[in-house]
Amino acid sequence: MRHVATAPDLRDPLKPETEIVAVGNEKPREACGIFGAYIPGHEAARAAFFGIFALQHRGQESAGIAASNGLALSLTAEVGLVSQVFQENDLTGLQGHLAIAHTRYSTTGSNRRHNAQPLLAYGPRGAIALGHNGNVINALPLREFCREEYGSVFTGSSDSEVIAELYAKTPGDDWFEVSDHVMSLLSGAYSLIMMTKHELIAVRDPLGVRPLCIGKLDGGWVFASETAALDNLGAEFERELEPGEVVVVDRDGITSRVWPKAPIAHKMCIFEQIYFARPDSILDGSLAYENRMRMGAIAYRENPTEADLVIGIPDSSTPHAAGYAAEANIPYAEGLVKNRYVGRTFIQPDQYMRDIGVRTKFNAMRQVINGKRIVVVDDTIVRSTTVRHVVRMLREAGAKEVHVRVAAPPIKSTCHFGVDMATLDQLIAANYSVEEICEIIGADTLSYLSLEGLEEAVSAGPNEYCRGCFTGKYPIDVQLEMDKLRMDRLVAEPVGAS
């Protein structure tokens, strides 16, 4: 008798009982969203608010805005969604033509107030505020370096605080010279937006792992993780920052320089194309929506199947499913309806509620599904929680057959550059074969998009994009696994503890 695989433990051991949880969500958690504005004659904090409002999908744990009127920095940053943290009176108190903003999902350091960004740091050039998207893998030794070299005192537990201290205290005649030195120390992913009382500074790491773009607005300049945030403001998209590029905006205008040691080929996270970025954002010169449709089309060409209907798991898989259906010439339908008001909650589900958690988020329409052979397209499978329940719901709704197609390769390794997707033992594709996963989720058939198919969809060259979560090969050396709460434990230890 053939072995029947069982599902792995799907609970997240890193999530404290008091932390906010998301109902029915097992997707990789996005990094963070950053935004900056230098708009003479305008209140930049308002632009910053709407900028990170458009980037809310990248992080839902905390939000913050720092602003300057040329005399002093003001800052508001709290745990919560953008709309929860900021009311009209908060924006009124953030005066000035210069502002930066941040919305966070933690990848190093816990979800606590002291890790909310922007962060403030102080040095010979005065105060700076910093927002960070990404993950620096050598933050611990650099933390000790800052303590010994600069006498830094850390109050939080994030790698972002280490970066802020380095930029605030590293000597240099200008921000380009400072960045040259800091970039030689940092290892990992970091798109940064920083400000002093008079200047706005944007930085993209030499690998270009996380996106960062620049646009024009009302005679000034704006920067954002994604072009969708520029569109939300009516800004004119100029370009994406180059890997290793530093841009400085001040009263004299805008200047930029690329770090001379930056590699020629970028290594942007390929998951930005698959899932993280909004479908209406431009990444590496192309629209994410069109790339995702191509992923679905290639998924069909690689593993065609006969069916009556194609559906996607809303909302993130919709373009992939539309591309699959068009290529297969099979009707596309919305067989699953998503409750878009389900989000993060402080209410802890008991085991019964965990079992029906996906029903809280999705509902299958029996009238559409009943008696049909269904292809359900997902953009990725991490632990398998969602897709297992979706397959069960479709069968209960009367589906004759359920074929699962994943418009991305199997995730077999963890991310070290700003994505919290699970530990290695929780990644179902790292522990089970495709045939076993098919049994676990209860599908008739299961297939994944090949890595070659994904690269074709995003027009990737041989040296472009980080593919580490699929291949285990990263653009720089990393530990096998890293603990996102490692610096929280360090902060909790008494001084002098070993």
Side-chain angles (χ1 to χ4, degrees), residues 207-290:
L207 295 172
V209 178
R210 294 288 151 215
L212 189 59
C213 64
I214 179 173
K216 289 182 178 179
L217 179 65
D218 294 332
W221 297 92
V222 288
F223 299 81
S225 293
E226 297 181 31
T227 62
L230 306 186
D231 296 338
N232 197 46
L233 291 165
E236 179 185 353
F237 170 58
E238 281 284 299
R239 61 180 179 85
E240 298 169 83
L241 268 69
E242 296 294 327
E245 185 175 5
V246 179
V247 181
V248 178
V249 186
D250 58 22
R251 67 186 65 182
D252 296 324
I254 184 169
T255 53
S256 72
R257 193 177 83 183
V258 175
W259 188 43
K261 297 181 182 179
I264 295 174
H266 72 66
K267 296 290 182 180
M268 188 171 76
C269 172
I270 204 164
F271 247 99
E272 294 283 355
Q273 295 279 18
I274 298 168
Y275 169 72
F276 294 144
R278 281 176 41 159
D280 53 340
S281 284
I282 295 171
L283 298 169
D284 197 25
S286 59
L287 188 67
Y289 181 87
E290 293 177 342

Coordinates of all heavy atoms in Angstrom, one line a residue, residues 207-290:
L207 N 22.4 45.0 -4.7 CA 21.7 43.9 -5.4 C 20.4 44.3 -6.0 O 19.9 43.6 -6.9 CB 21.5 42.7 -4.5 CG 22.8 42.1 -4.0 CD1 22.5 41.0 -2.9 CD2 23.6 41.4 -5.1
G208 N 19.8 45.4 -5.6 CA 18.5 45.8 -6.1 C 17.4 44.8 -5.7 O 16.5 44.6 -6.5
V209 N 17.4 44.2 -4.5 CA 16.5 43.2 -4.1 C 15.1 43.7 -4.0 O 14.1 43.1 -4.5 CB 16.9 42.5 -2.8 CG1 15.9 41.4 -2.4 CG2 18.3 41.9 -3.0
R210 N 14.9 44.8 -3.4 CA 13.6 45.4 -3.2 C 13.4 46.6 -4.1 O 14.3 47.3 -4.4 CB 13.4 45.8 -1.7 CG 13.4 44.7 -0.8 CD 12.1 43.9 -0.9 NE 12.4 42.5 -0.5 CZ 11.8 41.4 -1.0 NH1 10.9 41.6 -2.0 NH2 12.1 40.2 -0.6
P211 N 12.2 46.8 -4.6 CA 12.0 47.9 -5.6 C 12.0 49.3 -5.0 O 11.7 49.4 -3.8 CB 10.6 47.5 -6.2 CG 9.9 46.8 -5.0 CD 11.0 46.0 -4.3
L212 N 12.3 50.3 -5.8 CA 12.2 51.7 -5.4 C 12.2 52.5 -6.6 O 13.0 52.3 -7.5 CB 13.4 52.0 -4.5 CG 13.3 53.4 -3.8 CD1 12.1 53.5 -2.9 CD2 14.6 53.7 -3.0
C213 N 11.2 53.4 -6.7 CA 11.1 54.3 -7.9 C 11.0 55.7 -7.5 O 10.8 56.1 -6.4 CB 9.9 53.8 -8.7 SG 8.3 54.0 -7.9
I214 N 11.1 56.6 -8.6 CA 11.0 58.0 -8.4 C 10.1 58.6 -9.4 O 9.9 58.1 -10.5 CB 12.5 58.6 -8.6 CG1 12.5 60.1 -8.4 CG2 13.0 58.2 -9.9 CD1 13.9 60.7 -8.4
G215 N 9.4 59.7 -8.9 CA 8.4 60.4 -9.8 C 8.4 61.9 -9.5 O 9.0 62.3 -8.5
K216 N 7.8 62.6 -10.4 CA 7.6 64.1 -10.2 C 6.2 64.4 -9.8 O 5.2 63.8 -10.3 CB 7.9 64.8 -11.5 CG 9.4 64.8 -11.9 CD 9.6 65.5 -13.2 CE 11.0 65.6 -13.7 NZ 11.2 66.3 -15.0
L217 N 6.1 65.4 -8.9 CA 4.8 65.8 -8.4 C 4.8 67.3 -8.0 O 5.6 67.7 -7.1 CB 4.3 65.0 -7.2 CG 3.0 65.3 -6.6 CD1 1.8 65.0 -7.6 CD2 2.7 64.5 -5.3
D218 N 4.0 68.1 -8.7 CA 3.8 69.5 -8.3 C 5.1 70.2 -8.2 O 5.3 71.0 -7.2 CB 3.0 69.6 -7.1 CG 1.6 69.1 -7.3 OD1 1.1 69.2 -8.4 OD2 0.9 68.7 -6.3
G219 N 6.1 70.0 -9.1 CA 7.3 70.7 -9.0 C 8.3 70.1 -8.0 O 9.4 70.7 -7.8
G220 N 8.0 69.0 -7.4 CA 8.9 68.3 -6.5 C 9.1 66.9 -6.9 O 8.8 66.5 -8.0
W221 N 9.6 66.1 -5.9 CA 10.0 64.7 -6.2 C 9.4 63.8 -5.2 O 9.3 64.1 -4.0 CB 11.5 64.6 -6.2 CG 12.2 65.4 -7.3 CD1 12.7 66.6 -7.2 CD2 12.4 65.0 -8.6 NE1 13.2 67.1 -8.3 CE2 13.1 66.0 -9.3 CE3 12.2 63.8 -9.3 CZ2 13.5 66.0 -10.6 CZ3 12.5 63.7 -10.7 CH2 13.2 64.8 -11.3
V222 N 9.0 62.6 -5.6 CA 8.4 61.6 -4.7 C 9.1 60.3 -5.0 O 9.5 60.0 -6.2 CB 6.9 61.5 -4.8 CG1 6.2 62.7 -4.2 CG2 6.4 61.3 -6.3
F223 N 9.2 59.5 -4.0 CA 9.9 58.1 -4.1 C 8.9 57.1 -3.4 O 8.2 57.4 -2.4 CB 11.2 58.1 -3.3 CG 12.2 59.0 -3.9 CD1 12.2 60.4 -3.5 CD2 13.2 58.6 -4.7 CE1 13.1 61.3 -4.0 CE2 14.2 59.5 -5.2 CZ 14.1 60.8 -4.9
A224 N 8.9 55.9 -4.0 CA 8.0 54.9 -3.4 C 8.4 53.5 -3.8 O 9.2 53.3 -4.7 CB 6.5 55.1 -4.0
S225 N 8.0 52.6 -3.0 CA 8.3 51.2 -3.2 C 7.8 50.7 -4.6 O 8.4 49.9 -5.2 CB 7.8 50.3 -2.1 OG 8.5 50.5 -0.9
E226 N 6.6 51.2 -4.9 CA 5.9 50.8 -6.1 C 5.3 52.0 -6.9 O 4.9 53.0 -6.3 CB 4.8 49.8 -5.8 CG 5.2 48.5 -5.2 CD 4.1 47.6 -4.9 OE1 3.1 47.6 -5.7 OE2 4.1 46.8 -4.0
T227 N 5.2 51.9 -8.2 CA 4.7 52.9 -9.0 C 3.2 53.2 -8.7 O 2.7 54.3 -9.0 CB 4.9 52.6 -10.5 OG1 4.1 51.4 -10.8 CG2 6.3 52.4 -10.9
A228 N 2.5 52.2 -8.2 CA 1.1 52.3 -7.9 C 0.9 53.5 -6.9 O -0.1 54.2 -6.9 CB 0.5 51.0 -7.3
A229 N 1.8 53.7 -6.0 CA 1.7 54.8 -5.0 C 1.9 56.1 -5.7 O 1.2 57.1 -5.3 CB 2.8 54.6 -3.9
L230 N 2.7 56.2 -6.8 CA 2.8 57.4 -7.5 C 1.5 57.7 -8.3 O 1.0 58.8 -8.3 CB 4.0 57.3 -8.5 CG 5.3 57.0 -8.0 CD1 6.4 57.0 -9.1 CD2 5.7 57.9 -6.8
D231 N 0.9 56.6 -8.9 CA -0.3 56.8 -9.6 C -1.4 57.3 -8.7 O -2.3 58.1 -9.0 CB -0.8 55.4 -10.2 CG 0.2 54.9 -11.2 OD1 0.9 55.7 -11.8 OD2 0.2 53.7 -11.5
N232 N -1.4 56.8 -7.4 CA -2.4 57.2 -6.4 C -2.4 58.7 -6.2 O -3.4 59.3 -5.8 CB -2.2 56.4 -5.1 CG -3.4 56.4 -4.2 OD1 -4.5 56.2 -4.7 ND2 -3.2 56.7 -3.0
L233 N -1.2 59.3 -6.3 CA -1.1 60.7 -6.1 C -1.2 61.6 -7.4 O -1.1 62.8 -7.3 CB 0.3 61.0 -5.4 CG 0.4 60.5 -4.0 CD1 1.9 60.4 -3.6 CD2 -0.3 61.3 -3.0
G234 N -1.2 60.9 -8.5 CA -1.2 61.7 -9.8 C 0.2 62.1 -10.1 O 0.4 63.1 -10.9
A235 N 1.2 61.5 -9.6 CA 2.6 61.8 -9.9 C 3.0 61.2 -11.2 O 2.5 60.2 -11.6 CB 3.5 61.3 -8.7
E236 N 4.0 61.8 -11.8 CA 4.5 61.3 -13.1 C 5.7 60.4 -12.8 O 6.8 60.8 -12.3 CB 5.0 62.5 -14.0 CG 5.6 62.0 -15.3 CD 6.1 63.2 -16.1 OE1 5.9 64.4 -15.7 OE2 6.7 63.0 -17.1
F237 N 5.6 59.1 -13.2 CA 6.7 58.1 -13.0 C 7.9 58.5 -13.9 O 7.7 58.6 -15.1 CB 6.1 56.7 -13.3 CG 7.2 55.7 -13.4 CD1 8.0 55.4 -12.3 CD2 7.4 54.9 -14.5 CE1 9.0 54.4 -12.3 CE2 8.3 53.9 -14.6 CZ 9.1 53.7 -13.5
E238 N 9.0 58.6 -13.2 CA 10.3 58.9 -14.0 C 11.0 57.6 -14.3 O 11.3 57.3 -15.4 CB 11.1 59.8 -13.1 CG 10.7 61.3 -13.2 CD 11.1 61.9 -14.5 OE1 12.3 62.0 -14.8 OE2 10.2 62.4 -15.2
R239 N 11.4 56.8 -13.2 CA 12.2 55.6 -13.5 C 12.3 54.9 -12.1 O 12.0 55.4 -11.1 CB 13.6 56.0 -14.0 CG 14.4 56.9 -13.0 CD 15.8 57.2 -13.6 NE 16.5 58.0 -12.7 CZ 17.3 57.6 -11.7 NH1 17.4 56.2 -11.5 NH2 18.0 58.4 -11.0
E240 N 12.8 53.7 -12.2 CA 13.2 52.9 -11.0 C 14.7 53.2 -10.7 O 15.5 53.5 -11.6 CB 13.1 51.4 -11.3 CG 11.6 51.0 -11.6 CD 11.5 49.6 -12.1 OE1 11.5 48.7 -11.3 OE2 11.5 49.4 -13.4
L241 N 15.0 53.3 -9.4 CA 16.4 53.5 -9.0 C 17.2 52.3 -9.4 O 16.7 51.1 -9.4 CB 16.5 53.7 -7.5 CG 16.4 55.2 -7.0 CD1 15.0 55.7 -7.2 CD2 16.8 55.2 -5.6
E242 N 18.4 52.5 -9.8 CA 19.4 51.5 -10.1 C 19.9 50.8 -8.9 O 19.9 51.4 -7.8 CB 20.6 52.1 -10.9 CG 20.2 52.7 -12.2 CD 19.7 51.6 -13.2 OE1 20.2 50.5 -13.1 OE2 18.9 51.9 -14.0
P243 N 20.2 49.5 -8.9 CA 20.9 48.9 -7.8 C 22.1 49.7 -7.4 O 23.0 50.1 -8.2 CB 21.2 47.5 -8.3 CG 20.3 47.2 -9.4 CD 20.0 48.6 -10.0
G244 N 22.3 49.9 -6.1 CA 23.4 50.7 -5.6 C 23.3 52.2 -5.7 O 24.3 52.9 -5.5
E245 N 22.1 52.7 -6.2 CA 22.0 54.1 -6.4 C 21.6 54.9 -5.2 O 20.8 54.4 -4.4 CB 21.0 54.4 -7.5 CG 20.9 55.9 -7.9 CD 20.0 56.1 -9.1 OE1 19.3 55.2 -9.6 OE2 19.9 57.3 -9.5
V246 N 22.2 56.1 -5.0 CA 21.8 57.0 -3.9 C 21.3 58.3 -4.6 O 22.0 58.8 -5.5 CB 23.0 57.3 -3.0 CG1 22.6 58.3 -1.9 CG2 23.6 56.0 -2.4
V247 N 20.1 58.8 -4.2 CA 19.6 60.0 -4.7 C 19.4 61.0 -3.6 O 18.8 60.6 -2.5 CB 18.2 59.7 -5.4 CG1 17.7 61.0 -6.0 CG2 18.4 58.7 -6.6
V248 N 19.8 62.2 -3.7 CA 19.6 63.2 -2.7 C 18.9 64.4 -3.3 O 19.2 64.9 -4.4 CB 21.0 63.7 -2.2 CG1 20.8 64.9 -1.2 CG2 21.8 62.6 -1.6
V249 N 17.8 64.8 -2.6 CA 17.0 66.0 -3.0 C 17.1 67.1 -1.9 O 16.9 66.8 -0.7 CB 15.5 65.6 -3.2 CG1 14.8 66.8 -3.8 CG2 15.4 64.4 -4.2
D250 N 17.5 68.3 -2.3 CA 17.5 69.4 -1.4 C 17.1 70.7 -2.1 O 16.7 70.6 -3.3 CB 18.9 69.5 -0.7 CG 20.0 69.7 -1.7 OD1 19.8 70.1 -2.8 OD2 21.2 69.4 -1.3
R251 N 17.3 71.8 -1.5 CA 16.9 73.1 -2.1 C 17.7 73.4 -3.4 O 17.2 74.2 -4.2 CB 17.1 74.2 -1.1 CG 18.6 74.5 -0.8 CD 18.7 75.6 0.3 NE 18.2 75.0 1.6 CZ 18.2 75.8 2.7 NH1 18.6 77.0 2.7 NH2 17.7 75.2 3.8
D252 N 18.8 72.8 -3.6 CA 19.6 73.0 -4.9 C 19.1 72.1 -6.0 O 19.7 72.2 -7.1 CB 21.1 72.8 -4.6 CG 21.6 73.8 -3.6 OD1 21.1 75.0 -3.7 OD2 22.4 73.5 -2.8
G253 N 18.2 71.1 -5.7 CA 17.8 70.2 -6.8 C 18.0 68.8 -6.4 O 18.0 68.4 -5.2
I254 N 18.2 67.9 -7.4 CA 18.3 66.5 -7.2 C 19.6 66.0 -7.8 O 20.0 66.4 -8.9 CB 17.1 65.8 -7.9 CG1 17.2 64.2 -7.6 CG2 17.0 66.1 -9.4 CD1 15.9 63.5 -8.0
T255 N 20.4 65.2 -7.1 CA 21.6 64.6 -7.6 C 21.6 63.1 -7.2 O 20.9 62.7 -6.3 CB 22.8 65.3 -6.9 OG1 22.7 65.2 -5.5 CG2 23.0 66.7 -7.3
S256 N 22.3 62.3 -8.0 CA 22.4 60.9 -7.8 C 23.7 60.3 -8.2 O 24.4 60.9 -9.0 CB 21.2 60.2 -8.6 OG 21.5 60.2 -9.9
R257 N 24.0 59.2 -7.6 CA 25.2 58.5 -7.9 C 25.0 57.0 -7.6 O 24.4 56.6 -6.6 CB 26.4 59.0 -7.1 CG 27.8 58.5 -7.7 CD 28.9 59.1 -6.9 NE 29.2 58.4 -5.7 CZ 30.1 58.7 -4.8 NH1 30.8 59.8 -5.0 NH2 30.3 58.0 -3.7
V258 N 25.6 56.1 -8.5 CA 25.6 54.7 -8.3 C 26.9 54.3 -7.6 O 28.0 54.7 -8.1 CB 25.3 53.9 -9.6 CG1 25.4 52.4 -9.4 CG2 24.0 54.3 -10.2
W259 N 26.8 53.5 -6.6 CA 28.0 53.0 -5.9 C 28.8 52.2 -6.9 O 28.4 51.3 -7.6 CB 27.5 52.0 -4.8 CG 28.6 51.6 -3.9 CD1 29.6 52.3 -3.3 CD2 28.8 50.3 -3.3 NE1 30.5 51.6 -2.5 CE2 30.0 50.3 -2.5 CE3 28.2 49.0 -3.5 CZ2 30.5 49.2 -1.9 CZ3 28.6 47.9 -2.8 CH2 29.8 48.0 -2.0
P260 N 30.1 52.6 -7.0 CA 31.0 52.0 -8.0 C 31.1 50.5 -7.9 O 31.4 49.9 -9.0 CB 32.3 52.7 -7.8 CG 32.0 54.0 -7.1 CD 30.8 53.7 -6.3
K261 N 30.9 50.0 -6.7 CA 31.1 48.5 -6.6 C 29.9 47.7 -6.8 O 29.9 46.5 -6.6 CB 31.7 48.2 -5.2 CG 33.1 48.9 -4.9 CD 33.5 48.5 -3.5 CE 34.9 49.2 -3.3 NZ 35.4 48.9 -1.9
A262 N 28.8 48.4 -7.2 CA 27.5 47.7 -7.4 C 27.6 46.7 -8.6 O 28.2 47.1 -9.6 CB 26.4 48.6 -7.6
P263 N 27.1 45.5 -8.5 CA 27.2 44.6 -9.6 C 26.3 45.1 -10.8 O 25.4 45.8 -10.6 CB 26.6 43.3 -9.1 CG 25.8 43.7 -7.9 CD 26.4 44.9 -7.3
I264 N 26.6 44.7 -12.0 CA 25.9 45.1 -13.2 C 24.5 44.5 -13.2 O 23.5 45.2 -13.5 CB 26.7 44.7 -14.5 CG1 28.0 45.5 -14.5 CG2 25.8 45.1 -15.7 CD1 28.9 45.1 -15.7
A265 N 24.4 43.3 -12.9 CA 23.0 42.6 -13.0 C 22.3 42.7 -11.6 O 22.9 42.5 -10.6 CB 23.2 41.1 -13.3
H266 N 21.1 43.1 -11.7 CA 20.3 43.2 -10.4 C 19.8 41.9 -10.0 O 19.8 40.9 -10.8 CB 19.2 44.2 -10.5 CG 18.0 43.8 -11.4 ND1 17.2 42.7 -11.0 CD2 17.5 44.3 -12.6 CE1 16.3 42.6 -12.0 NE2 16.5 43.5 -12.9
K267 N 19.4 41.8 -8.7 CA 18.9 40.6 -8.1 C 17.6 40.8 -7.4 O 17.4 40.4 -6.3 CB 19.9 40.0 -7.2 CG 21.2 39.5 -7.8 CD 21.0 38.3 -8.7 CE 22.3 37.8 -9.3 NZ 22.2 36.7 -10.2
M268 N 16.7 41.6 -8.1 CA 15.4 41.9 -7.5 C 14.7 40.6 -7.1 O 14.7 39.6 -7.9 CB 14.5 42.7 -8.4 CG 13.3 43.2 -7.7 SD 12.3 44.4 -8.7 CE 11.6 43.4 -9.9
C269 N 14.0 40.6 -6.0 CA 13.2 39.4 -5.6 C 12.1 39.1 -6.6 O 11.3 39.9 -7.0 CB 12.5 39.7 -4.2 SG 11.4 38.5 -3.7
I270 N 12.2 37.9 -7.1 CA 11.2 37.5 -8.2 C 9.8 37.4 -7.7 O 8.9 37.4 -8.4 CB 11.7 36.2 -8.9 CG1 11.2 36.1 -10.3 CG2 11.4 35.0 -8.0 CD1 11.8 35.1 -11.2
F271 N 9.7 37.3 -6.3 CA 8.3 37.2 -5.8 C 7.6 38.6 -5.9 O 6.4 38.6 -5.8 CB 8.4 36.8 -4.3 CG 7.7 35.4 -4.1 CD1 8.5 34.3 -4.0 CD2 6.4 35.3 -4.0 CE1 7.9 33.0 -3.9 CE2 5.8 34.1 -3.9 CZ 6.5 32.9 -3.8
E272 N 8.3 39.7 -6.1 CA 7.7 40.9 -6.4 C 6.8 40.8 -7.6 O 5.7 41.3 -7.7 CB 8.7 42.0 -6.5 CG 9.5 42.4 -5.3 CD 8.7 43.2 -4.3 OE1 7.6 43.6 -4.6 OE2 9.3 43.5 -3.2
Q273 N 7.3 40.1 -8.6 CA 6.6 39.9 -9.8 C 5.4 38.9 -9.7 O 4.4 39.1 -10.3 CB 7.5 39.3 -10.9 CG 8.6 40.2 -11.3 CD 8.2 41.3 -12.3 OE1 7.0 41.6 -12.5 NE2 9.1 41.9 -13.0
I274 N 5.6 37.9 -8.8 CA 4.6 36.8 -8.6 C 3.4 37.3 -7.8 O 2.3 37.1 -8.1 CB 5.2 35.6 -8.0 CG1 6.3 35.0 -8.9 CG2 4.1 34.5 -7.7 CD1 7.1 34.0 -8.2
Y275 N 3.7 38.0 -6.7 CA 2.7 38.2 -5.7 C 2.8 39.5 -4.9 O 1.7 40.1 -4.7 CB 2.8 37.0 -4.7 CG 2.0 37.2 -3.4 CD1 0.6 37.0 -3.4 CD2 2.6 37.4 -2.2 CE1 -0.1 37.1 -2.3 CE2 1.9 37.6 -1.0 CZ 0.5 37.4 -1.1 OH -0.2 37.5 0.1
F276 N 4.0 40.0 -4.5 CA 4.1 41.1 -3.6 C 3.5 42.4 -4.1 O 2.7 43.0 -3.5 CB 5.5 41.3 -3.1 CG 6.0 40.1 -2.3 CD1 7.3 39.7 -2.4 CD2 5.2 39.4 -1.4 CE1 7.8 38.6 -1.7 CE2 5.6 38.3 -0.7 CZ 7.0 37.9 -0.8
A277 N 4.0 42.8 -5.2 CA 3.7 44.1 -5.7 C 2.2 44.1 -6.2 O 1.7 43.1 -6.6 CB 4.6 44.5 -6.9
R278 N 1.6 45.3 -6.2 CA 0.3 45.4 -6.7 C 0.3 45.1 -8.2 O 1.3 45.4 -8.9 CB -0.2 46.8 -6.5 CG -0.8 47.1 -5.1 CD -1.2 48.5 -4.8 NE -1.9 49.2 -5.9 CZ -2.7 50.2 -5.7 NH1 -2.9 50.7 -4.5 NH2 -3.3 50.8 -6.7
P279 N -0.7 44.5 -8.8 CA -0.7 44.2 -10.2 C -0.6 45.4 -11.1 O -0.2 45.3 -12.3 CB -2.0 43.5 -10.4 CG -2.9 43.8 -9.3 CD -2.0 44.1 -8.1
D280 N -1.0 46.6 -10.6 CA -0.9 47.8 -11.4 C 0.4 48.5 -11.3 O 0.6 49.7 -11.7 CB -2.0 48.7 -11.1 CG -2.2 49.1 -9.6 OD1 -1.6 48.3 -8.8 OD2 -2.8 50.1 -9.2
S281 N 1.4 47.9 -10.7 CA 2.8 48.5 -10.5 C 3.7 48.0 -11.6 O 3.6 46.9 -12.1 CB 3.4 48.1 -9.2 OG 2.8 48.9 -8.1
I282 N 4.6 48.9 -12.0 CA 5.6 48.6 -13.0 C 6.9 48.1 -12.3 O 7.4 48.8 -11.4 CB 6.0 49.8 -13.9 CG1 4.7 50.2 -14.7 CG2 7.1 49.6 -14.8 CD1 4.9 51.5 -15.4
L283 N 7.4 47.0 -12.6 CA 8.6 46.4 -12.0 C 9.5 46.0 -13.2 O 9.2 45.3 -14.1 CB 8.2 45.1 -11.2 CG 7.3 45.3 -10.0 CD1 6.9 43.9 -9.5 CD2 8.0 46.1 -8.9
D284 N 10.8 46.5 -13.0 CA 11.8 46.2 -14.0 C 11.3 46.5 -15.4 O 11.5 45.8 -16.4 CB 12.2 44.7 -13.9 CG 13.5 44.5 -14.6 OD1 14.3 45.4 -14.7 OD2 13.8 43.3 -15.0
G285 N 10.5 47.6 -15.5 CA 10.1 48.1 -16.8 C 8.8 47.5 -17.4 O 8.4 47.8 -18.5
S286 N 8.2 46.5 -16.7 CA 7.0 45.9 -17.2 C 5.9 45.9 -16.1 O 6.2 45.9 -14.9 CB 7.3 44.5 -17.7 OG 7.8 43.7 -16.7
L287 N 4.6 45.8 -16.6 CA 3.5 45.8 -15.7 C 3.3 44.4 -15.0 O 3.3 43.4 -15.7 CB 2.2 46.1 -16.5 CG 1.0 46.4 -15.7 CD1 1.0 47.6 -14.8 CD2 -0.3 46.5 -16.6
A288 N 3.2 44.4 -13.7 CA 3.1 43.2 -13.0 C 1.9 42.3 -13.4 O 2.0 41.1 -13.5 CB 3.0 43.5 -11.5
Y289 N 0.8 43.0 -13.7 CA -0.4 42.3 -14.2 C -0.1 41.5 -15.4 O -0.5 40.3 -15.5 CB -1.5 43.3 -14.4 CG -2.8 42.6 -14.8 CD1 -3.7 42.1 -13.9 CD2 -3.2 42.4 -16.2 CE1 -4.9 41.5 -14.2 CE2 -4.3 41.8 -16.5 CZ -5.2 41.4 -15.6 OH -6.4 40.7 -16.0
E290 N 0.5 42.1 -16.4 CA 0.8 41.3 -17.6 C 1.8 40.2 -17.4 O 1.6 39.1 -18.0 CB 1.4 42.3 -18.7 CG 0.3 43.4 -19.1 CD 0.9 44.4 -20.1 OE1 2.2 44.5 -20.2 OE2 0.1 45.0 -20.8

